[in-house]
Amino acid sequence: MKFDLSDDQAAIRDAVRDFAQGVVAPQAAAIDHENRFPGDLVRQAAELDLLGIVIPSEYSGAGLDHICFALLIEELAAVSGTLAVIVDVHTSVGSEPILHFGSEEQKHRYLPRLARGEILGAFALSEPDYGSDAAHLVASARSVPGGYRLSGTKTFITNVGEAGLYIVMARLDGEPGAGGISAFLVESDMAGVRCGEPMHKMGLRGSSTGELVLDNVEVPEQNLLGHRGEGFKIAMRALDSGRIGISAQAVGLARGALDLATSYSAERRQFGQAISRFEGIQFMVADLATAIDASRLMTWEAAAACDAGRPFTQLAAMAKLMSTDTAMRVTTDAVQILGGYGYIKEFPAERYMRDAKATQIYEGTNQIQRVVIARELLKRG
Ligand code: CAA
């Protein structure tokens, strides 16, 4: 077993860290305060070839592995949870399903544009009444001459309104159950595609989230992704990779918050000494650093299994569960270490905490991760 990063992996981490610390960090607070989608930063990330990191070079991507993907997302999240989730959703659930399930024609039609950042990708599974219970979704697709007609409302769509392409799961011709769901490639400018008002979120305030309304959208035959009835499996496979990204995002948020808390504690003096000299602080940061390291290793283990073509559903769910609970704990304790200064917006501690909360919820709540883990374990047992 090897714990060192390869040259490629170290190079991507260093390049993203330079971009994150030098360019993104100075804007992160304003993006949050102003609820501003950071389109300029997304464009700069595209110029650095960061939007097609796992897409092979034949489709204009960087052709790197999922450890590089995790490093990319961790570095972005350490300074901006918002930019991290935009890039994460675009890369994993918004692009990867085309790589795994698309026809060669679909790959050539969409992957280069996604990899170059000419369009952003998004993933439309959840509905107002079907979130965790995704297999019962009701958005409909009807077979019509030359293709399909899609209707329904999708919700909690990251990158809504900014994406050029949505991977939409819908029930085809009224077929029941998970096997009745198919996946469709829906372009944002197809007639009948409408985005709802942006949701006002607790955290990740620069990322756009909201409803995608499909009003009799005519989707051509060639935009069925995978086979008829394969949509639920496509979605679950997409979420397996997606959870590696969310886990990395959580590790980044936790690391950013701990860095802030440790540097603050070295400077803040009370009772005649830096508060970092008190055991109460020392034990706290020691526990937090340990939990972050464990979370990162679990993230990389899931990423390595994914790259090796081994089953990684359980590993990704365990990593996501561990890392996101860690992020919530670390960011909450970081606020505590900063005391009153942690509770005000002049310091980023409270932003890390608000951003971290989403990671326990999206791409499968942590209760759903436990369901996934237990099922995988018991299936083998
Ligand atoms: N990979 C491939 N196939 C899978 C799979 C996986 N990881 N997990 C399940 N399947 C297959 C099963 O094998 C089964 O196939 P067969 O019928 O052929 O046996 C089929 O899918 C149905 O599976 P289940 O019976 O396990 O389905 P279920 O209804 O019990 O649900 C669940 C399972 C794990 C709860 C699932 O519904 C789930 O993950 N729910 C959470 C959904 C979620 O994460 N939503 C987040 C949406 S995205 C978001 O957050 C916003 C954003 O913008 C990113």
Side-chain angles (χ1 to χ4, degrees):
M1 189 177 292
K2 212 166 141 283
F3 284 95
D4 292 331
L5 296 180
S6 69
D7 290 346
D8 272 353
Q9 292 163 348
I12 196 82
R13 179 201 56 200
D14 294 346
V16 181
R17 190 171 288 176
D18 284 350
F19 170 61
Q21 304 286 337
V23 180
V24 182
Q27 299 187 43
I31 289 166
D32 176 70
H33 284 315
E34 297 160 16
N35 262 333
R36 166 160 57 87
F37 183 85
D40 53 333
L41 295 179
V42 174
R43 269 188 298 282
Q44 289 181 64
E47 282 159 20
L48 293 169
D49 291 332
L50 300 179
L51 294 193
I53 200 133
V54 295
I55 295 177
S57 54
E58 61 187 296
Y59 307 113
S60 307
L64 296 170
D65 59 22
H66 284 79
I67 302 273
C68 291
F69 169 54
L71 291 164
L72 161 67
I73 301 302
E74 177 184 333
E75 292 303 326
L76 295 180
V79 298
S80 170
T82 282
L83 186 62
V85 74
I86 293 167
V87 174
D88 171 63
V89 166
H90 160 81
T91 306
S92 60
V93 291
S95 300
E96 271 197 67
I98 302 172
L99 188 59
H100 298 305
F101 297 95
S103 65
E104 208 46 50
E105 185 277 325
Q106 288 170 338
K107 291 180 191 178
H108 278 104
R109 187 149 43 104
Y110 290 115
L111 291 178
R113 293 166 67 203
L114 289 160
R116 291 195 290 259
E118 290 163 15
I119 51 171
L120 275 183
F123 179 76
L125 175 67
S126 300
E127 298 180 359
D129 291 329
Y130 297 97
S132 296
D133 185 11
H136 285 96
L137 61 83
V138 295
S140 69
R142 293 268 159 218
S143 298
V144 294
Y148 309 92
R149 185 176 298 133
L150 269 58
S151 292
T153 299
K154 295 294 185 174
T155 196
F156 292 115
I157 311 302
T158 302
N159 292 341
V160 75
E162 304 291 341
L165 182 68
Y166 297 88
I167 298 178
V168 175
M169 269 50 70
R171 188 167 301 287
L172 182 51
D173 294 331
E175 297 278 341
I181 297 169
S182 297
F184 300 89
L185 298 169
V186 175
E187 298 183 17
S188 57
D189 57 3
M190 286 176 169
V193 174
R194 193 162 45 78
C195 300
E197 287 299 306
M199 291 171 167
H200 295 288
K201 304 192 297 294
M202 172 195 283
L204 304 173
R205 289 162 60 82
S207 98
S208 61
T209 308
E211 285 190 343
L212 179 75
V213 180
L214 305 159
D215 183 6
N216 288 306
V217 180
E218 301 273 354
V219 175
E221 178 74 50
Q222 63 267 28
N223 280 31
L224 174 71
L225 180 64
H227 300 295
R228 189 185 167 101
E230 211 182 3
F232 190 73
K233 289 185 185 181
I234 292 174
M236 291 299 109
R237 172 62 182 79
L239 286 166
D240 286 344
S241 300
R243 289 166 187 164
I244 295 173
I246 301 305
S247 186
Q249 185 197 18
V251 170
L253 288 165
R255 193 191 91 199
L258 183 60
D259 286 349
L260 171 70
T262 51
S263 55
Y264 177 88
S265 68
E267 281 169 20
R268 174 72 171 168
R269 295 180 68 82
Q270 292 292 286
F271 305 102
Q273 59 180 354
I275 62 170
S276 59
R277 295 184 65 91
F278 292 107
E279 202 173 70
I281 299 289
Q282 290 171 0
F283 281 14
M284 217 162 156
V285 299
D287 286 347
L288 300 181
T290 306
I292 293 173
D293 223 40
S295 301
R296 184 184 292 109
L297 288 173
M298 289 179 73
T299 309
W300 289 359
E301 187 187 11
C306 168
D307 290 328
R310 293 197 303 272
F312 68 102
T313 298
Q314 183 186 336
L315 292 174
M318 291 197 311
K320 198 260 188 195
L321 173 62
M322 171 77 178
S323 304
T324 62
D325 283 355
T326 294
M328 204 57 226
R329 173 180 165 204
V330 174
T331 56
T332 306
D333 281 354
V335 169
Q336 189 69 20
I337 291 171
L338 268 75
Y341 294 107
Y343 202 68
I344 60 174
K345 289 185 182 291
E346 279 67 15
F347 287 82
E350 58 84 35
R351 170 163 53 87
Y352 283 115
M353 186 175 157
R354 287 186 285 107
D355 288 355
K357 186 61 205 170
T359 66
Q360 293 179 307
I361 297 172
Y362 56 26
E363 301 214 8
T365 63
N366 281 2
Q367 287 67 35
I368 287 296
Q369 306 311 318
R370 290 179 173 91
V371 171
V372 172
I373 296 161
R375 283 187 185 180
E376 291 291 315
L377 269 174
L378 297 170
K379 187 162 83 181
R380 286 197 296 277

